[in-house]
């Protein structure tokens, strides 16, 4: 039995009072109000990330937990979509079993769109029968983001079977429909889709809120919609949550949902509304086994210094102290056997060349992907590029670099295109973290550097790499080509080093590798590149 004293923040009752909490056998057995304040700090339910891909942290679940608890996070609603695209149901099994090794509340979903589209090569597939089998498991809490919103609107048989399975088991369905508005949004929501984390304007979010959808305010390492949506909390807090979606290890080391709470309060949002989104709504919506600071609940709560900066002093999960004063108390544990798929051969520089049939010299007008800092969407540009000996050249002066996608599941021709805003004056970077199918994506100034960066990833069977003249850097990711089993803080340091090196190549992007990882994400418009070629997200088809 243990007792903790402090100022309890009753979020739903919208009051703060001095109290003593008694914890027995991992649950809150008693909450006793006190006349005067003893103890220090404010006691609140733990923070919940309402939508995150653990794989994007480049950490296995055990290490993600060690970093996250320091910031007051006690639970996540985790979509194992990334590893499922590589390893199918075996990847989902891996994440669930790995998560059980530590005192942290991972809540995994059944990936709804594996592969995400037919316009790319993934490592595996989950049909409606496989999804139903996952949803039947009690530890699988929901059907994760239904990215195929055209399939929902058109009543695609496989899509509707997956949604029907979620309804059968009484589990919510997450949405993913960037830009969908009006009657189409209503039809998508009416099909049973309950959330969306892809709104990038308040108008879009209000449209979806009006039709009964819950809106997640996303602030990750690449996609950042907090500023566009945070003011909606003032009137719609009951129907909103916070999420990171994708968070790289250096960013996770710095902070998590606690940062969003501090920023929202600084913006003038009432602290009870902020905490409703951060602590309460995800637990109620997904029916999580996470305590809400009530007698009989699991003893999941945190103590913060104040309700402005949300400096975390202590974190309890099932009554166990898992973090204190900025230090994680979760011990490193031996990992379980890793899963992976990597079956391509090393690539030669000439395989990176973009050849023009029947034309050896002159100029050519090409489509160009314009990457946007802090956004998943891209723009479509055009540029006139030189042809030398039949090969289309980069234009470093105008920041037109080459982007390639290499099929990692089999030997196949390399897909090539051009991209703007990476800013490299030399060298290349590559990654096997490339949403959604996680083939190898690379951007660089010349074919030799690109092929070397790609080959570093292939040799390691997964990772992020950088080439700058004679300099080579690699952060190996042996678990599905997505995650490292190393100490999370060491991985964060390694990632910081290679991220800084990418910026030294000339990039002004805030997160070059995170931005790179989304350049093959076909379900987000407007122009992307898959292993099968350049893809127009508006027309939803491959283009020349």
């Amino acid at each position: 039995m243990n007792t903790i004293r402090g100022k309890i923040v009753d979020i739903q009752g919208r009051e703060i009072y001095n109290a003593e909490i008694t914890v027995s056998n991992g649950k809150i057995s008693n909450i006793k109000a006190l006349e005067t304040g003893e103890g220090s700090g404010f006691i609140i339910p733990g923070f919940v990330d309402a939508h995150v891909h653990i794989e994007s942290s480049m950490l296995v679940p055990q290490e993600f937990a060690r970093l996250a608890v320091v910031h007051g996070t006690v639970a996540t609603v985790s979509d194992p979509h990334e590893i499922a695209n590589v390893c199918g149901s075996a990847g989902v099994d891996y994440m669930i079993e790995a998560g059980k090794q530590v005192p942290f509340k991972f809540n995994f979903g059944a990936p709804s769109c594996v592969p995400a589209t037919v316009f790319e090569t993934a490592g595996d597939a989950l049909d409606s029968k496989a999804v139903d089998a996952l949803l039947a498991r009690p530890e699988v809490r929901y059907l994760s983001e239904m990215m195929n919103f055209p399939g929902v609107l058109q009543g695609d048989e496989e899509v509707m079977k997956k949604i029907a399975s979620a309804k059968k088991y009484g589990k919510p369905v997450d949405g993913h429909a960037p830009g969908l508005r009006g009657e189409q949004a209503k039809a998508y929501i009416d099909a049973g889709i309950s959330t969306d984390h892809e709104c990038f304007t308040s108008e879009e979010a209000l449209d979806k809120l009006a039709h009964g959808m819950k809106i997640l305010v996303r602030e990750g390492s690449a996609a950042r919609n907090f500023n566009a949506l945070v003011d909606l909390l003032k009137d719609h807090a009951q129907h909103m949550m916070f999420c990171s979606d994708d968070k790289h290890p250096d960013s996770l080391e710095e902070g998590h949902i606690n940062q969003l709470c501090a920023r929202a309060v600084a913006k003038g949002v009432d602290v009870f509304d902020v905490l409703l989104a951060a602590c309460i709504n995800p637990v109620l919506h997904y029916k999580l086994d996470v305590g809400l600071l009530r007698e009989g609940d699991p003893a999941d709560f945190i103590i913060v210094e104040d309700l402005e900066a949300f400096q975390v002093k202590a974190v309890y999960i099932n009554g166990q102290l898992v973090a204190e004063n900025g230090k994680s108390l979760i011990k490193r544990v031996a990992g379980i056997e890793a899963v992976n798929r990597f079956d391509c051969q090393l690539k030669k520089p000439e395989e990176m060349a973009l050849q023009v049939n029947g034309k050896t010299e002159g100029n050519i007008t090409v489509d160009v992907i314009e990457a946007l800092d802090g956004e998943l969407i891209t723009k479509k540009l055009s540029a006139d590029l030189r042809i030398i000996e039949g090969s289309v050249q980069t234009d470093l002066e105008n920041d037109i670099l080459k982007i390639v996608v290499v099929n990692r599941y089999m030997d196949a021709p390399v897909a090539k295109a051009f991209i703007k805003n990476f800013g490299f004056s030399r060298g290349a970077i590559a990654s096997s973290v490339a949403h959604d199918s996680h083939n190898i994506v690379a951007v660089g100034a010349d074919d030799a550097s690109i092929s070397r960066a790609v080959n570093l990833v292939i040799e390691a069977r997964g990772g992020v790499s950088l080439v700058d003249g004679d300099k080579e850097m690699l952060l190996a990711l042996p678990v599905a080509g997505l995650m490292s089993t190393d100490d999370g803080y060491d991985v964060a340091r390694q990632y910081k080093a290679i991220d800084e090196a990418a910026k030294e190549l000339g990039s002004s992007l805030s997160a070059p590798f995170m931005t790179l990882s989304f350049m093959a994400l076909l379900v987000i418009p407007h122009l992307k590149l898959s292993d099968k070629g350049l893809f127009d997200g508006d027309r939803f088809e491959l283009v020349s």
Side-chain angles (χ1 to χ4, degrees):
M1 185 176 292
N2 190 22
T3 59
I4 295 102
R5 290 184 173 185
K7 297 177 179 66
I8 282 189
V9 181
D10 179 357
I11 300 168
Q12 291 167 298
R14 300 181 82 87
E15 64 173 329
I16 299 172
Y17 60 93
N18 297 307
E20 177 183 85
I21 297 174
T22 302
V23 176
S24 303
N25 299 318
K27 294 185 179 294
I28 296 175
S29 58
N30 186 55
I31 298 176
K32 182 174 71 174
L34 301 175
E35 290 286 336
T36 59
E38 292 187 38
S40 61
F42 295 83
I43 305 173
I44 62 177
F47 298 130
V48 181
D49 189 332
H51 176 78
V52 62
H53 303 279
I54 301 297
E55 304 96 311
S56 290
S57 71
M58 301 182 178
L59 307 175
V60 289
Q62 309 94 303
E63 290 300 314
F64 179 96
R66 291 183 63 234
L67 272 65
V69 292
V70 171
H71 309 302
T73 305
V74 301
T76 58
V77 179
S78 312
D79 179 2
H81 167 95
E82 314 303 345
I83 196 168
N85 267 283
V86 178
C87 308
S89 293
V92 179
D93 291 339
Y94 176 91
M95 299 299 281
I96 291 172
E97 294 307 311
K100 290 178 180 177
Q101 294 191 305
V102 288
F104 187 86
K105 299 196 170 180
F106 292 104
N107 297 278
F108 290 104
S112 66
C113 300
V114 176
T117 75
V118 298
F119 302 105
E120 56 195 319
T121 304
D124 213 320
L126 294 178
D127 62 13
S128 58
K129 289 183 179 179
V131 168
D132 185 85
L134 287 171
L135 286 167
R137 299 171 62 173
E139 63 265 54
V140 175
R141 296 283 183 170
Y142 66 106
L143 181 63
S144 55
E145 51 186 317
M146 179 49 74
M147 297 183 292
N148 187 2
F149 65 81
V152 175
L153 298 177
Q154 295 161 13
D156 178 87
E157 183 178 358
E158 271 288 287
V159 168
M160 301 317 289
K161 281 182 178 178
K162 293 173 183 178
I163 294 173
S165 289
K167 292 178 178 178
K168 177 176 68 174
Y169 297 111
K171 298 179 179 181
V173 182
D174 271 4
H176 174 117
L180 202 66
R181 301 283 299 274
E183 288 303 309
Q184 286 191 321
K186 184 179 185 301
Y188 181 68
I189 295 163
D190 287 347
I193 316 297
S194 63
T195 70
D196 198 349
H197 59 275
E198 290 289 343
C199 295
F200 44 87
T201 67
S202 59
E203 292 79 13
E204 178 187 351
L206 283 168
D207 198 11
K208 290 173 177 172
L209 282 164
H211 294 302
M213 181 173 262
K214 292 182 170 64
I215 298 299
L216 278 58
V217 179
R218 173 179 61 186
E219 191 80 350
S221 295
R224 298 174 180 174
N225 310 120
F226 178 90
N227 288 335
L229 304 179
V230 65
D231 285 339
L232 297 178
L233 281 166
K234 296 174 181 177
D235 296 315
H236 303 279
Q238 291 281 353
H239 306 288
M240 298 182 70
M241 310 175 215
F242 288 130
C243 77
S244 65
D245 198 4
D246 295 285
K247 199 133 174 99
H248 267 186
D250 58 330
S251 179
L252 181 61
E253 184 181 18
E254 292 173 3
H256 200 189
I257 303 301
N258 59 321
Q259 292 178 321
L260 303 189
C261 292
R263 288 174 61 187
V265 168
K267 284 270 192 179
V269 183
D270 185 278
V271 68
F272 291 112
D273 290 334
V274 171
L275 294 177
L276 199 63
C279 310
I280 305 295
N281 292 345
V283 176
L284 299 180
H285 181 72
Y286 293 99
K287 302 173 185 174
L288 307 181
D289 183 27
V290 176
L292 295 180
L293 210 52
R294 302 171 300 196
E295 290 184 356
D297 277 3
D300 307 322
F301 54 85
I302 67 178
I303 303 174
V304 296
E305 189 76 43
D306 56 49
L307 298 177
E308 295 174 349
F310 295 93
Q311 185 69 35
V312 178
K313 297 177 65 177
V315 182
Y316 294 84
I317 297 178
N318 288 337
Q320 178 180 341
L321 182 64
V322 294
E324 188 172 28
N325 296 324
K327 298 292 183 183
S328 181
L329 302 180
I330 297 179
K331 295 180 179 179
R332 275 181 50 77
V333 295
I336 60 177
E337 186 177 353
V339 292
N340 204 350
R341 276 205 62 190
F342 235 96
D343 298 309
C344 64
Q345 302 298 312
L346 298 177
K347 301 301 176 185
K348 299 175 182 177
E350 50 265 35
E351 293 181 77
M352 306 300 159
L354 202 161
Q355 299 290 333
V356 179
N357 292 330
K359 195 171 185 179
T360 58
E361 304 292 335
N363 291 341
I364 188 171
T365 301
V366 299
D367 289 332
V368 176
I369 301 167
E370 183 182 14
L372 303 175
D373 198 18
E375 298 285 354
L376 304 191
I377 62 170
T378 60
K379 290 184 178 179
K380 179 180 178 180
L381 306 176
S382 63
D384 290 326
L385 299 180
R386 292 180 62 198
I387 302 171
I388 299 178
E389 296 180 354
S391 178
V392 185
Q393 305 296 300
T394 57
D395 181 356
L396 303 188
E397 186 175 337
N398 291 302
D399 187 23
I400 307 295
L401 303 177
K402 184 173 288 182
I403 179 171
V404 305
V405 174
V406 177
N407 185 325
R408 68 138 133 165
Y409 304 108
M410 64 185 76
D411 276 316
V414 177
K416 309 128 191 169
F418 292 92
I419 192 163
K420 185 177 178 65
N421 284 347
F422 270 80
F424 299 159
S425 60
R426 62 187 190 278
I429 63 173
S431 174
S432 57
V433 179
H435 310 279
D436 277 316
S437 292
H438 299 291
N439 291 295
I440 304 168
V441 62
V443 167
D446 64 272
D447 292 343
S449 294
I450 294 171
S451 67
R452 283 171 60 202
V454 166
N455 287 339
L456 286 172
V457 174
I458 294 173
E459 288 169 342
R461 291 177 58 79
V464 296
S465 67
L466 177 142
V467 168
D468 180 8
D470 294 333
K471 179 180 180 180
E472 295 182 351
M473 298 178 72
L474 172 75
L475 169 55
L477 303 172
V479 180
L482 302 173
M483 294 171 285
S484 170
T485 58
D486 290 348
D487 181 291
Y489 290 98
D490 288 340
V491 175
R493 282 190 283 273
Q494 291 179 63
Y495 178 76
K496 283 180 185 176
I498 198 169
D499 183 68
E500 285 301 316
K503 292 171 182 174
E504 289 171 6
L505 294 179
S507 181
S508 62
L509 293 171
S510 56
F513 281 98
M514 183 63 92
T515 300
L516 178 69
S517 73
F518 289 109
M519 293 303 100
L521 182 56
L522 308 189
V523 295
I524 301 289
H526 295 278
L527 195 63
K528 297 289 173 68
L529 183 68
S530 85
D531 66 293
K532 296 184 178 181
L534 201 58
F535 185 81
D536 187 315
D538 299 309
R539 292 154 56 187
F540 221 74
E541 63 184 21
L542 293 166
V543 295
S544 173

